[in-house]
Every structure is written in C-alpha cells, then in structure tokens.
Amino acid sequence: MKRIAVLTSGGDAPGMNAAVRAVVRTAFENEIEVYGVMGGYQGLLESDFISMDLRTVSNIIQRGGTILHSARSEEFKTMEGTLKARDVLEKYGIENVVVIGGDGTLAGGNRLAGTGVSVVGIPATIDNDVGCSDLTIGYDTAMNTVMSMVDRLRDTTEAHKRCSVVEVMGRDAGYIALNSGIAVGAVSILIPEVEYDIQRDVVDRMNRTLHYGKNHFIIIVAEGAGDSEKISKRIKEATGIETRLTVLGHVQRGGSPTVNDRVLGSQFGHEAIQLIKKINDKSSYALGYINKKIVSYPLEEALKIKKPMDMELYKVANEISI
C-alpha cells in the first residue's frame, strides 16, 4: 500500500481543514495510507506523526485553522534540516508528501523535492499571493471577514461623522485590501503594488466627497502599503476630521470557512491524491486554480510564476468610490 504524509505550514487559512479532509478521504477510497504531520515542517523534523483515517477528519470541514497545526521552522530551511526531513520520511516509508500553505510552504516543499522526495503543493493563504493560482484557500473567507468587520465599524463611523482607517493583512499583496475595499465602499484603497500620494489619493478625495455631502469615510490600507498610524494622523491634520485607526490583524485568519473555501479546499485535496496516483517517479507538483479549473505545474516552475495585480479592478475602485 502506498503511504503518504500531509502537513499544513505557514500562516493558517480557513479551508485548510477541508483540504486535509479531502486528502484523507480520497486516499482512503484509493487504498492509500495517510499520516498527518503535526506542526508543519518542524513536526516533520521531530517525527510528530499521527495515523489518519475517515474518523480523524470527521466534523472538521466547518472549522477554521488547521487540525494539524502549523509552525515556522528555521531548522528546516537549512540543508541539514531538509536532509533530516527526507531521512525521517524514508524511515517511515512515506513516498509522497502533500504540503498545504503559501509561497513559503511551497518553497519548503521544493527544497524537500530537491532531496528526492515527491511533493504535491496545495496553495493556501489568505493573502492570495501564490502566482500559480487565481485563488488560494482562505482568501475568500478573509475578504468576507474584513467586509463583515468594516460593515460594523461603519455604523459608529457614520454616527460620529468620523474617518475610519482600517488596516488589513497584505504585507506584499493588496488583494484583500482591493476587493474588500470595493465591497465596503471605501473612499480610498492603498495597496503595496501602487504608489500613492496621501494628499492626492486620500485627502483630496475626501474633500471632494465632502463637497457632495458625504460626512463619514472608510479608508482601507494593506499592511504593506505604509504606516497606518501615520496615515491616520496625516488625514486628521489635513482635514480636521476625527480619524480613528482600526487594525484588524489576525482576526482575518480565523472563523468558519465560506462555501467557496470549503469547496476549493475539497477540490485541491481530491486532486492531490489523483495526481499522486499517477506519479511513478520522484517528480513534484503544485496545484493551482486557473479559469475555474484545478491545474498542476511542476513545483519548481510554479514558484517562478508571478501574479499581476488587477489594475482594471483598481481603476473601478477609484471611479466608484466618490
């Protein structure tokens, strides 16, 4: 019987459990034995494995986070650590590893693949910044969480005629900021991919909307777009409007996954096993979701794919937010 392992690594993302569930249940249907690795690559180094079956993944599809837990591992990033991980897998007779996470997780999988281990990567990150996939597990839930939180914040913002600056996740990517910003009707959206001028892109836009009778404002800032606290102070100084900063932080990672993330995670997990059934060598792949279909790429090539920001959507945001 073929024996595989599955792990989740990096930042947790709602829908990871759906992917783990699909991996285990599809493997069971195809007579493949599955070990879960507790705590990502660090757990792999420590041989922290659990045997998984149909019942170990019962009642998890609706849960956020990951039942396999996650951890950062500096040791795994070294050649010695990667070779140690390979040796652990060989000791347990594990032929393939499914890794679920973002770019860092897929890069770790690629290092492991370089030692002769067959790896299948599933993109899961709320930032949606994996180049080989239009959508990543957790992204839809995170956007809906931001939308829900800002909808609530808007009530008090409007009541007090304030400006609310809301910092959302996205150190290197503005996908959450752009899409949630449009969804909540933000007057201005600041993302790391686009250079901006506070006076022109925020203050002047607010003054223009003031002229047309608007008296409360939502500004969405991706965390990588600048210092949100300084931006808030600058707005208050330039407009005289009471301005409050809200940092949503890790609340965006949590919560029950949306329908879209449960389905996407399930599709990815199922396809990972279908791919493993076909692998008869040491090749490694990353899965992606392109044009509403699950696709696969050689893992090393997948890591080289860059995802451009949707500038047409950014233009839409600017033209409808006045």
Side-chain angles (χ1 to χ4, degrees), residues 2 32 96 271-281 283 285 296:
K2 184 184 282 283
I32 297 173
N96 309 84
E271 185 59 28
I273 298 302
Q274 300 305 317
L275 190 55
I276 283 172
K277 286 168 57 181
K278 300 173 185 176
I279 295 174
N280 55 16
D281 54 14
S283 55
Y285 300 89
S296 64

Side-chain angles (χ1 to χ4, degrees), residues 239-302:
T239 65
I241 297 170
E242 183 181 3
T243 303
R244 300 287 182 89
L245 170 62
T246 299
V247 180
L248 293 184
H250 286 87
V251 69
Q252 295 160 88
R253 288 198 185 282
S256 183
T258 60
V259 168
N260 287 340
D261 276 328
R262 297 185 198 195
V263 172
L264 184 62
S266 299
Q267 287 178 288
F268 274 140
H270 178 269
E271 185 59 28
I273 298 302
Q274 300 305 317
L275 190 55
I276 283 172
K277 286 168 57 181
K278 300 173 185 176
I279 295 174
N280 55 16
D281 54 14
K282 298 294 185 179
S283 55
S284 294
Y285 300 89
L287 298 179
Y289 186 77
I290 303 293
N291 296 326
K292 299 184 178 181
K293 291 184 178 180
I294 305 294
V295 298
S296 64
Y297 303 88
L299 181 52
E300 190 168 7
E301 291 181 18

Side-chain angles (χ1 to χ4, degrees), residues 198-209:
I198 293 292
Q199 182 64 43
R200 179 193 67 215
D201 298 315
V202 181
V203 174
D204 288 351
R205 293 178 69 82
M206 289 176 61
N207 286 332
R208 184 179 173 193
T209 59

Side-chain angles (χ1 to χ4, degrees), residues 77-97:
K77 293 179 181 179
T78 67
M79 178 55 69
E80 292 80 5
T82 307
L83 291 172
K84 179 181 176 181
R86 178 203 62 187
D87 294 343
V88 168
L89 292 168
E90 288 183 353
K91 177 183 176 181
Y92 280 81
I94 292 170
E95 301 173 58
N96 309 84
V97 182

Side-chain angles (χ1 to χ4, degrees), residues 132-291:
C132 67
S133 191
D134 291 341
L135 297 174
T136 58
I137 294 170
Y139 173 53
D140 187 67
T141 305
M143 285 192 299
N144 278 278
T145 297
V146 171
M147 182 180 69
S148 178
M149 294 297 100
V150 177
D151 282 350
R152 286 161 171 75
L153 182 62
R154 181 192 300 279
D155 292 342
T156 189
T157 301
E158 183 175 4
H160 293 273
K161 299 181 180 180
R162 289 174 180 159
C163 173
S164 285
V165 175
V166 182
E167 182 186 293
V168 301
M169 282 189 163
R171 185 180 59 215
D172 301 310
Y175 299 105
I176 292 176
L178 178 56
N179 286 273
S180 63
I182 291 174
V184 301
V187 170
S188 191
I189 302 168
L190 306 181
I191 59 177
E193 293 88 346
V194 179
E195 289 188 18
Y196 61 88
D197 178 84
I198 293 292
Q199 182 64 43
R200 179 193 67 215
D201 298 315
V202 181
V203 174
D204 288 351
R205 293 178 69 82
M206 289 176 61
N207 286 332
R208 184 179 173 193
T209 59
L210 277 168
H211 177 73
Y212 289 105
K214 190 175 182 68
N215 58 20
H216 64 282
F217 308 89
I218 301 291
I219 311 297
I220 300 292
V221 182
E223 62 181 311
D227 187 323
S228 297
E229 187 171 353
K230 290 182 178 178
I231 291 170
S232 300
K233 290 179 180 178
R234 175 74 182 278
I235 291 171
K236 184 175 182 179
E237 291 169 357
T239 65
I241 297 170
E242 183 181 3
T243 303
R244 300 287 182 89
L245 170 62
T246 299
V247 180
L248 293 184
H250 286 87
V251 69
Q252 295 160 88
R253 288 198 185 282
S256 183
T258 60
V259 168
N260 287 340
D261 276 328
R262 297 185 198 195
V263 172
L264 184 62
S266 299
Q267 287 178 288
F268 274 140
H270 178 269
E271 185 59 28
I273 298 302
Q274 300 305 317
L275 190 55
I276 283 172
K277 286 168 57 181
K278 300 173 185 176
I279 295 174
N280 55 16
D281 54 14
K282 298 294 185 179
S283 55
S284 294
Y285 300 89
L287 298 179
Y289 186 77
I290 303 293
N291 296 326

